[in-house]
Amino acid sequence: MKIPAKARPGGDPEAMWALQQEILRLAENVFGPRDSSKTIFQPTFVDDGPQIRNTPNLDGAFAELSRNAEGYWPTAINELAHETVHLLNPKPGIGNWLSEGMAVAFSIYAQQQFGMEPQAVAMASYRRALALVSKLPPDALVTGRRIREDCGSLDNATTEGLRVLFPDVGHETLTRLCEQFQRDWQARDQPGKFG
């Protein structure tokens, strides 16, 4: 995979759409098929990104990336990869620690597939989410596929369901993974965030 060579991400909607399609294919190869009842639309750039935005009638969604991503391809790839995990099963509201940890793990993987040195994970809460999913054997990406196959989506996982899949992982870890994710805005080390 190659980083697009022309323009800035915000100045090349065609390249951004191609990038979305390429990252979506990579995500489906890793985590399994997306919810095809939802339409994925063109990524946009907003002041409070990155995050996903659902359509009003919940029949589709799209990634809203940060203004930093608007001007820099590595940041666009980093953020779009993270948000694409949420686009596999888009839902309104805040996801769980499991979905955020898997999104961070996939973003690192995707950046490597583009030949990039992965950008640092800026917020402590996202580093904790990554640490939690890293406790699921054999590794986060293989684990994510198993959970989606069993639960339908990462956000549908329950402690009991994870206990069946991962009997050797501690109850506290499995419980935390299924709890609603909480951003730690005060523990930000560098610019950038994920939604």
Side-chain angles (χ1 to χ4, degrees), residues 31-150:
F31 292 116
R34 71 180 184 87
D35 178 352
S36 61
S37 72
K38 311 282 185 171
T39 302
I40 295 178
F41 296 98
Q42 175 82 20
T44 63
F45 300 94
V46 297
D47 290 336
D48 63 345
Q51 61 206 1
I52 67 165
R53 175 79 53 196
N54 288 279
T55 57
N57 58 1
L58 303 179
D59 65 347
F62 55 94
E64 293 183 325
L65 307 180
S66 73
R67 295 294 178 194
N68 290 337
E70 187 174 31
Y72 188 55
W73 283 109
T75 300
I77 291 167
N78 177 21
E79 292 181 5
L80 189 57
H82 181 108
E83 298 310 329
T84 297
V85 173
H86 300 310
L87 289 173
L88 294 174
N89 298 99
K91 69 172 201 71
I94 297 171
N96 59 21
W97 285 86
L98 176 65
S99 66
E100 292 301 337
M102 291 295 175
V104 174
F106 177 74
S107 177
I108 292 168
Y109 172 75
Q111 290 173 77
Q112 292 167 337
Q113 298 307 298
F114 279 90
M116 297 167 44
E117 181 68 30
Q119 294 183 351
V121 179
M123 284 189 207
S125 51
Y126 289 94
R127 290 191 302 273
R128 285 193 302 274
L130 178 61
L132 284 166
V133 299
S134 296
K135 293 179 180 183
L136 301 175
D139 68 54
L141 300 182
V142 171
T143 298
R145 179 181 279 271
R146 288 181 61 201
I147 294 168
R148 287 188 74 240
E149 286 171 352
D150 199 64

